[in-house]
Amino acid sequence: MFFRIPLNQPLLRAASVAAMLAFGVGLSGCADMGDTLSTAFADPAKYELYDCKQLETERKTLTTRSAELQGLMAKADTGLAGPVVAELAYRNEYVSVRGQARFAEEAWQRNKCHASIPAAPAAAAAAPEASPAPPAPT
């Protein structure tokens, strides 16, 4: 009473290839969301009223934090469950920081800001020049 349904091997193979292709196309759509997703976690109006000095400080802070998070994710990737930990612990904040940095950069360019020149150390500027030593008596 068992019925054996004959399976057509080429038809089964073609169906599995089509399913894998559809899965791959679906995942490739997620890979493209990275850049637009980063601005979803940041407020676009946050830097509207910042002046150039505030923007410069904020850009430096965001760059430092982004590098710190990248380092933490790279360190977590070295462990056994590291990629999972990196995604769960650091990825959301990293995406948020990238979005904030993008909006800060847009405000920087919109305000036509220029990087300030670092000031010379006060000790070097205040130090008097050394006068030549008088000749020693013979």
Side-chain angles (χ1 to χ4, degrees):
M1 298 280 219
F2 291 104
F3 294 107
R4 185 173 186 125
I5 300 173
L7 294 176
N8 192 351
Q9 213 50 334
L11 183 61
L12 183 61
R13 185 171 294 155
S16 64
V17 167
M20 286 185 195
L21 184 63
F23 184 69
V25 168
L27 285 180
S28 69
C30 294
D32 190 34
M33 289 176 25
D35 195 36
T36 58
L37 188 62
S38 66
T39 58
F41 293 110
D43 181 16
K46 180 176 181 178
Y47 303 109
E48 291 295 319
L49 300 177
Y50 278 42
D51 63 2
C52 289
K53 186 175 181 179
Q54 291 171 319
L55 283 171
E56 184 172 21
T57 305
E58 186 70 13
R59 287 174 63 218
K60 287 179 184 176
T61 303
L62 291 170
T63 301
T64 303
R65 184 63 183 152
S66 178
E68 181 182 327
L69 288 169
Q70 281 180 329
L72 289 170
M73 288 189 299
K75 185 177 179 180
D77 280 340
T78 61
L80 181 62
V84 174
V85 171
E87 288 295 319
L88 291 175
Y90 305 117
R91 179 63 64 179
N92 287 342
E93 186 177 358
Y94 177 70
V95 169
S96 175
V97 167
R98 275 187 49 203
Q100 289 176 7
R102 183 174 176 184
F103 288 131
E105 184 64 32
E106 287 174 4
W108 177 268
Q109 291 180 6
R110 190 173 41 253
N111 292 345
K112 297 179 176 83
C113 297
H114 300 286
S116 63
I117 300 170
E129 291 186 31
S131 59
T138 53

